[in-house]
Amino acid sequence: MLSKTYTKYIQSLHHKKYRDAHNSFIAEGSKVVIELLASGKFEAEQLLGREAWLKENEPELRKHYSGPIQVIEDFELEKISALSTPNQVVGVFKKAKQQSAVVKGKLTLALDTIQDPGNLGTIIRIADWFGIHDIVCSQNCVELYNPKVVQSTMGSLGRVNVVYENIVNLLEQHKTIKSIAAALDGRNIKDFDKLKEAILIIGNESKGISTEILEMADEKITIPKIGGAESLNAAVAAGIILSHIKF
């Protein structure tokens, strides 16, 4: 039986205030939990799941994790889950120490005020697909360890380095590296060559990139519009642009 104290502890990790206080976060679902364990990037405190799932997956789990595994009932899983429909397993993990982004010789994503958790998680997953190692988020982006962000990454969180810093400072410190801002009035994406090194800037879901950052960018890039939609989802735009410019 899961204790009331530990139940409250896991429930508290649904909220940023307590994630920061405990330096911990939760991940849910078979794929996400197993991939985070396999990455070696995050230390797991505890795994809690349905008995049948744990029995089936314990050999795989034990390849990467030697800590406590607790069987819980469905009603207990519902209590600690941050999902509307609880998955098979919940993992409690320690946050990773933030590492500096390495932008020289690489294509790097810079995100300005991305506030939707699903968007950030999907962008991390897209970055993983295209082999992007580093994402730099402005300090007013949604928090990396928000349960919806973690879930949306589908395990890519373990392979992509996400850091939070001032984007203006990033561009000032790397003036020799080409910076490209996604905007509605830029150069057609089809006119861009493949790039090995650049900083691609993606802006806020509704307001786009801030004026200060936009003015610092070396160039603006646009996905041609054919239909009547006012704008593209930030994650969709990031995926389309990367598919065209990633060397």
Side-chain angles (χ1 to χ4, degrees):
M1 178 73 73
L2 194 58
S3 72
K4 288 183 178 179
T5 301
Y6 202 70
T7 297
K8 288 181 178 179
Y9 166 63
I10 298 176
Q11 289 172 336
S12 76
L13 299 180
H14 297 185
H15 308 284
K16 184 178 186 302
K17 173 183 176 180
Y18 295 103
R19 291 193 293 272
D20 290 344
H22 296 292
N23 198 40
S24 300
F25 69 100
I26 60 170
E28 300 189 55
S30 179
K31 180 176 176 60
V32 177
V33 168
I34 289 175
E35 291 208 17
L36 291 187
L37 289 173
S39 74
K41 183 176 177 178
F42 301 100
E43 177 190 351
E45 294 179 11
Q46 173 100 325
L47 300 181
L48 310 99
R50 292 187 168 107
E51 183 175 14
W53 186 91
L54 290 172
K55 279 185 177 180
E56 180 183 349
N57 291 277
E58 187 167 6
E60 181 65 25
L61 297 174
R62 289 306 186 192
K63 291 179 183 178
H64 316 289
Y65 172 70
S66 58
I69 293 176
Q70 184 164 348
V71 173
I72 56 175
E73 301 296 332
D74 286 356
F75 77 92
E76 294 175 307
L77 186 58
E78 288 178 6
K79 282 184 178 180
I80 63 174
S81 175
L83 302 175
S84 56
T85 304
N87 213 306
Q88 302 283 336
V89 60
V90 173
V92 182
F93 292 86
K94 301 300 290 184
K95 295 181 183 179
K97 185 177 180 181
Q98 179 166 298
Q99 299 179 346
S100 299
V102 179
V103 301
K104 189 169 181 59
K106 298 178 179 180
L107 193 55
T108 303
L109 279 178
L111 307 181
D112 180 25
T113 321
I114 297 296
Q115 296 180 326
D116 181 84
N119 270 343
L120 179 56
T122 303
I123 290 171
I124 294 169
R125 192 176 177 190
I126 288 168
D128 188 19
W129 177 268
F130 285 103
I132 304 295
H133 183 263
D134 293 285
I135 296 177
V136 179
C137 293
S138 65
Q139 289 152 332
N140 50 4
C141 281
V142 63
E143 182 218 6
L144 173 63
Y145 296 108
N146 180 300
K148 291 182 180 178
V149 175
V150 176
Q151 196 67 23
S152 298
T153 69
M154 294 302 291
S156 292
L157 193 62
R159 291 182 291 272
V160 179
N161 181 41
V162 182
V163 302
Y164 286 75
E165 64 177 87
N166 188 297
I167 302 296
V168 170
N169 291 345
L170 173 77
L171 298 179
E172 286 179 344
Q173 292 166 8
H174 297 92
K175 290 182 178 179
T176 60
I177 297 177
K178 187 181 185 71
S179 55
I180 304 170
L184 294 175
D185 59 345
R187 188 154 64 94
N188 192 315
I189 191 173
K190 296 177 182 177
D191 297 333
F192 277 77
D193 295 327
K194 299 289 185 181
L195 296 169
K196 287 185 177 180
E197 179 185 74
I199 298 171
L200 173 62
I201 309 163
I202 303 292
N204 175 266
E205 292 87 352
S206 60
K207 298 178 182 178
I209 299 169
S210 70
T211 302
E212 183 180 16
I213 293 174
L214 199 58
E215 289 177 350
M216 293 181 70
D218 296 315
E219 197 160 8
K220 293 186 285 186
I221 187 169
T222 296
I223 301 167
K225 183 173 78 166
I226 298 172
E230 182 180 352
S231 63
L232 279 175
N233 172 280
V236 171
I240 293 172
I241 295 171
L242 287 175
S243 72
H244 278 72
I245 69 171
K246 180 72 169 67
F247 186 84

